[in-house]
């Protein structure tokens, strides 16, 4: 197994972990306290997994790792994403460099949860991944009277990339632990609308 390259997959700092827990506690109030999520959907990179784990604990919601949510991160976008062997079982790697991501066991050891997270076997680019997740959510039986919703923990580049494709306001900056809301309309092949973006720690508006 190729040695993990910490340059593309660093952990959160102690301050970053504290920040993630603080922001997780502020998510429900920021959403009005009524939105329910079936799972926290996370990129497989360590720093996003650690952040997602904080949200999973706060919301008491399972965590699911979605490889394509890392496709927008600079190192993955440049080098591509692949499985080293069997999809969903072998480690993920940077395709051009052959360097491994952390395994599911290593992620779980870094930020333990009550349940070991699931990892999906399919790999797509970021926007197709988001589209697939939205379509799957819309196809599920309703969990409550709330509109269908997904909670994604990914990378700042993803917010900017999706905002560039979407109607509505543009996201002008993306500090750590910011919350962006997008609407997905499956009619006509699917279309995104950016509702807005704010910093979870301060509530500061981050869109035009």
């Amino acid at each position: 197994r190729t040695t993990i390259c910490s340059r593309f997959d660093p952990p959160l700092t102690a301050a970053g972990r504290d920040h993630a827990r603080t922001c997780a506690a502020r998510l429900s109030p920021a959403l009005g306290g009524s939105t329910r999520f079936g799972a926290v959907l996370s990129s497989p990179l360590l720093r996003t997994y650690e952040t997602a784990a904080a949200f999973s604990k706060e919301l008491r919601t399972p965590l699911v790792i979605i490889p394509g949510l890392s496709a927008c991160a600079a190192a993955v976008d440049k080098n591509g994403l692949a499985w080293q062997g069997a999809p969903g079982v072998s480690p993920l790697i940077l395709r051009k460099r052959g360097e491994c991501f952390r395994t599911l066991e290593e992620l779980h050891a870094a930020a333990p949860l009550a349940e070991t997270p699931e990892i999906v076997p399919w790999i797509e680019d970021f926007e197709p991944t988001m589209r697939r997740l939205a379509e799957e959510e819309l196809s599920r039986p309703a969990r409550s009277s709330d509109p269908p919703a997904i909670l994604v923990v990914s990378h700042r580049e993803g917010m900017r990339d999706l905002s560039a494709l979407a109607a509505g306001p543009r996201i002008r900056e993306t500090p750590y632990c910011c919350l962006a809301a997008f609407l997905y309309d499956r009619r006509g092949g699917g279309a995104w609308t950016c509702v807005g973006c704010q910093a979870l720690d301060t509530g500061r508006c981050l869109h035009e």
Side-chain angles (χ1 to χ4, degrees):
R1 181 170 180 267
T2 309
T3 302
I4 292 168
C5 179
S6 60
R7 290 176 298 174
F8 85 87
D9 194 17
L12 290 176
T13 63
R17 290 191 291 273
D18 288 343
H19 193 203
R21 287 190 290 268
T22 298
C23 291
R26 293 179 179 176
L27 177 63
S28 288
L31 295 175
S34 61
T35 303
R36 302 287 188 271
F37 301 104
V40 179
L41 309 174
S42 175
S43 158
L45 288 170
L46 178 57
R47 57 193 180 278
T48 45
Y49 176 84
E50 289 179 300
T51 302
F55 282 80
S56 176
K57 290 177 181 178
E58 178 68 28
L59 299 173
R60 299 181 182 180
T61 301
L63 193 157
V64 178
I65 298 170
I66 312 291
L69 293 178
S70 69
C72 58
V76 183
D77 182 48
K78 181 179 179 181
N79 293 280
L81 186 64
W83 294 103
Q84 192 177 55
V89 179
S90 65
L92 284 161
I93 60 170
L94 290 179
R95 189 174 61 247
K96 292 182 181 178
R97 285 165 40 180
E99 292 169 316
C100 286
F101 287 60
R102 286 169 172 83
T103 65
L104 183 58
E105 291 75 18
E106 289 167 331
L107 291 173
H108 188 53
L113 295 169
E115 298 180 14
T116 302
E118 173 190 353
I119 184 166
V120 304
W122 42 270
I123 292 176
E124 295 176 312
D125 287 338
F126 181 76
E127 194 280 334
T129 294
M130 290 291 293
R131 185 183 299 268
R132 181 168 178 167
L133 293 170
E135 288 284 352
E136 287 183 353
E137 179 65 18
L138 289 169
S139 299
R140 287 193 180 98
R143 287 186 296 271
S144 68
S145 59
D146 298 328
I150 58 175
L151 176 59
V152 169
V153 181
S154 184
H155 306 269
R156 295 184 291 175
E157 297 95 331
M159 288 187 180
R160 295 195 292 264
D161 292 349
L162 203 56
S163 173
L165 295 172
R170 292 289 181 267
I171 297 174
R172 63 173 183 263
E173 58 177 306
T174 48
Y176 292 115
C177 260
C178 54
L179 172 68
F182 292 88
L183 296 176
Y184 177 75
D185 187 344
R186 71 195 320 181
R187 294 171 294 182
W192 296 98
T193 299
C194 180
V195 177
C197 185
Q198 70 177 64
L200 267 177
D201 54 351
T202 65
R204 184 166 57 92
C205 175
L206 302 171
H207 59 266
E208 295 175 353

